[in-house]
Amino acid sequence: MFFSVRDLELRKVEFDTSFPPGKIDFLDPNLHQQGDLRTRGSVELLSHTLGELRVKGHLAVSMTAPCDRCLEAAVSHIDSDFDLFYEPASIAVEQEEVELGEGETEIGYYEGDGIELGEVLREFVILAMPMQKLCQAECKGICPVCGQNRNLTACHCEVKPADDRWAVLKNL
Ligand SMILES: [Zn+2]
Ligand SMILES: [Zn+2]
């Protein structure tokens, strides 16, 4: 779904749509969309700016990515409001290296004469993915000795206590 600046000059455009899996390319072979991504909101051209666009709305989607511990699919439900600002990429070149002050909204850029909703949503979903992805909170992970998924098989390997220095790093 593409919103052209020319249309936005006339009026704010509302959307209420869904993207089936595969419609948005998440550029990561490990990241998969489960079921439809549903979204509604609006795109507006902000007055008194050099073509700044505001994309605001709500998005709900379930994504799967490999579990950090056992590599089986871990589902992340994203159900979130978004309020994003985009400037023409041509302006970005002039404003290179501008540091954002605290509390300032991070601004994205769009190329050409408009903005593609699928690309906006892709970026938002990638950023909204949790840092830690687990198939279940109590995932037992893969046995470092025999390599079995310990959620499925209770092996009886003797695992030496982890070196504390590494344990600290893992918890970061
Ligand atoms: Zn797991
Ligand atoms: Zn084992």
Side-chain angles (χ1 to χ4, degrees):
M1 190 175 259
F2 185 79
F3 300 100
S4 79
V5 174
R6 198 179 302 174
D7 290 343
L8 295 167
E9 272 169 0
L10 303 174
R11 67 183 77 82
K12 175 173 164 175
V13 181
E14 310 232 312
F15 58 85
D16 185 346
T17 186
S18 60
F19 290 79
K23 199 83 192 282
I24 298 174
D25 179 3
F26 286 96
L27 307 174
D28 178 348
N30 288 322
L31 197 55
H32 298 283
Q33 183 183 324
Q34 268 205 333
D36 283 354
L37 179 157
R38 287 174 293 110
T39 184
R40 61 190 143 69
S42 62
V43 186
E44 66 180 308
L45 177 67
L46 299 178
S47 46
H48 312 299
T49 65
L50 297 168
E52 191 170 324
L53 303 179
R54 181 180 197 177
V55 188
K56 193 172 183 282
H58 189 91
L59 164 160
V61 67
S62 295
M63 302 295 295
T64 62
C67 171
D68 290 342
R69 292 186 196 152
C70 73
L71 304 179
E72 293 297 316
V75 183
S76 303
H77 301 287
I78 298 169
D79 192 342
S80 174
D81 288 331
F82 54 85
D83 190 1
L84 307 164
F85 296 84
Y86 291 86
E87 285 184 346
S90 52
I91 291 183
V93 177
E94 292 160 29
Q95 292 183 341
E96 233 178 338
E97 308 278 329
V98 176
E99 296 255 339
L100 283 175
E102 217 171 306
E104 271 185 65
T105 317
E106 198 167 337
I107 289 183
Y109 300 100
Y110 66 92
E111 305 262 358
D113 58 359
I115 200 158
E116 177 60 50
L117 184 61
E119 288 176 18
V120 168
L121 299 176
R122 169 181 64 209
E123 277 177 42
F124 183 78
V125 167
I126 291 172
L127 290 173
M129 287 294 289
M131 287 299 285
Q132 193 180 43
K133 295 177 268 292
L134 294 177
C135 62
Q136 50 183 312
E138 301 298 315
C139 173
K140 299 188 189 83
I142 289 171
C143 171
V145 179
C146 70
Q148 290 193 84
N149 182 338
R150 290 192 287 202
N151 300 311
L152 304 175
T153 319
C155 62
H156 300 286
C157 301
E158 261 196 60
V159 181
K160 294 197 182 86
D163 188 318
D164 279 335
R165 285 170 298 171
W166 293 108
V168 168
L169 286 175
K170 274 182 194 158
N171 289 332
L172 285 180

